[in-house]
Amino acid sequence: MTEFERVLVQSFNALFEEKNFKGIAYRLKQHRFTPQFLDVLVDSLDPDYYMGIECKSISVDKGAKALYFTQHFTTDKHGAHQIERISDFLLRSGRTGFLAVELRMGVGRSREAYMIPWTELYRKYNEEGTPKITVDEIREYPQIEREKNKYLIDPKGWKKLRLIE
């Protein structure tokens, strides 16, 4: 589990505890030869918090200018692209999907994270046929505020984010 995934799981669980919501965020243990559908799963009876989140991090400080569909996402041995596999899982499970992108700015500098609705990502990948999402495009999506070493999951902001879908 990457640090970004771990912190995101902890941030959701802190929100649930603080607001006394029924919900839990977790990451399934990944085994070498079994596929993992998504990085973070969130379960709740509240449909606003029944979701799956794929996490990606890119190093802006090292010159990354985009998140590439070929470089940052995998293709399995049957030729199925990760975006297609996740889209199928989200459809079958009824979960709302998101891509959380963390932009690493370098040592001693703050990180930024953004949430992209999976429907937007899928549209860009499938319909527009673009090979990437640029850092500037990523920054157009809602930012997950960061305080010290945790992300702040704001229920009001979350509902607004779901309206983008």
Side-chain angles (χ1 to χ4, degrees), residues 5 27-28 30 34-40 54 82 85:
E5 295 165 10
R27 183 175 190 282
L28 296 173
Q30 187 172 4
T34 54
Q36 173 191 340
F37 292 110
L38 287 156
D39 293 321
V40 175
E54 179 64 22
Q82 187 177 13
R85 293 190 317 267

Side-chain angles (χ1 to χ4, degrees), residues 11-46:
S11 297
F12 269 100
N13 287 329
L15 168 74
F16 294 147
E17 190 172 313
E18 178 186 314
K19 299 292 185 189
N20 201 24
F21 287 171
K22 289 191 180 211
I24 186 168
Y26 57 97
R27 183 175 190 282
L28 296 173
K29 186 171 182 174
Q30 187 172 4
H31 299 285
R32 189 170 180 190
F33 296 109
T34 54
Q36 173 191 340
F37 292 110
L38 287 156
D39 293 321
V40 175
L41 296 173
V42 183
D43 288 341
S44 176
L45 292 175
D46 181 338

Side-chain angles (χ1 to χ4, degrees), residues 105-160:
M105 305 300 181
V107 178
R109 296 187 64 204
S110 216
R111 297 172 184 199
E112 298 173 8
Y114 297 86
M115 291 294 273
I116 302 172
W118 196 263
T119 52
E120 287 283 306
L121 178 76
Y122 187 78
R123 183 182 55 76
K124 283 189 171 295
Y125 168 74
N126 212 26
E127 295 171 13
E128 292 182 11
T130 60
K132 64 187 176 190
I133 299 177
T134 66
V135 169
D136 289 340
E137 288 173 318
I138 291 168
R139 286 185 167 134
E140 290 175 9
Y141 290 97
Q143 185 174 3
I144 310 170
E145 296 298 322
R146 188 176 169 98
E147 184 178 274
K148 296 183 182 175
N149 288 336
K150 69 176 187 175
Y151 286 102
L152 304 175
I153 308 298
D154 175 18
K156 291 177 189 157
W158 199 257
K159 289 183 190 283
K160 188 183 340 175

Side-chain angles (χ1 to χ4, degrees), residues 56-72:
K56 301 291 181 187
S57 294
I58 56 175
S59 298
V60 176
D61 64 314
K62 294 183 179 169
K65 297 196 182 334
L67 184 71
Y68 291 90
F69 295 143
T70 53
Q71 178 184 347
H72 295 103

Side-chain angles (χ1 to χ4, degrees), residues 92-103:
R92 289 171 180 255
S93 69
R95 292 177 188 271
T96 301
F98 294 95
L99 174 67
V101 182
E102 183 177 60
L103 305 178

